[in-house]
Amino acid sequence: MLAPLPVAPVNEADTVLLPEGLQGLKRVAKRTGLVLEGAYLNLDGGFDAKANREAIFNAGMLPNIKENPRNHKATKRGRKWLCNAAIHA
């Protein structure tokens, strides 16, 4: 398990730290020779946003984020997002 974590004040939400944390993870993987292609990145529902999923996909990884039903006034259309509950537990 690798955890290159950015540090932030306690009053700052975790979700804004994802881009910097993802860059740190890619940097550590490159230096150590680890391949992130196809690896799952498990995050909780607070990170459920299109921009976060795209950033993870663009890094070559698969986002495993439980869908957060907040602010849904209607049923979401289109393909369901990937969330493998067996790995997410």
Side-chain angles (χ1 to χ4, degrees):
M1 177 184 289
L2 293 176
L5 301 174
V7 180
V10 72
N11 63 344
E12 191 169 340
D14 297 345
T15 55
V16 299
L17 301 174
L18 180 65
E20 187 181 342
L22 192 55
Q23 290 301 320
L25 177 61
K26 292 188 324 186
R27 194 170 38 253
V28 168
K30 185 175 181 178
R31 288 182 183 168
T32 59
L34 292 174
V35 178
L36 296 177
E37 280 300 312
Y40 284 96
L41 182 59
N42 296 317
L43 298 169
D44 67 13
F47 291 90
D48 181 24
K50 185 177 180 181
N52 291 342
R53 290 177 183 276
E54 286 178 358
I56 296 166
F57 270 121
N58 290 339
M61 299 187 305
L62 301 171
N64 192 36
I65 305 171
K66 184 172 176 148
E67 190 172 337
N68 191 340
R70 70 188 181 283
N71 299 329
H72 288 194
K73 294 184 172 111
T75 306
K76 288 179 77 175
R77 296 177 48 187
R79 184 172 50 94
K80 288 274 188 198
W81 283 345
L82 171 69
C83 180
N84 187 340
I87 335 178
H88 202 276

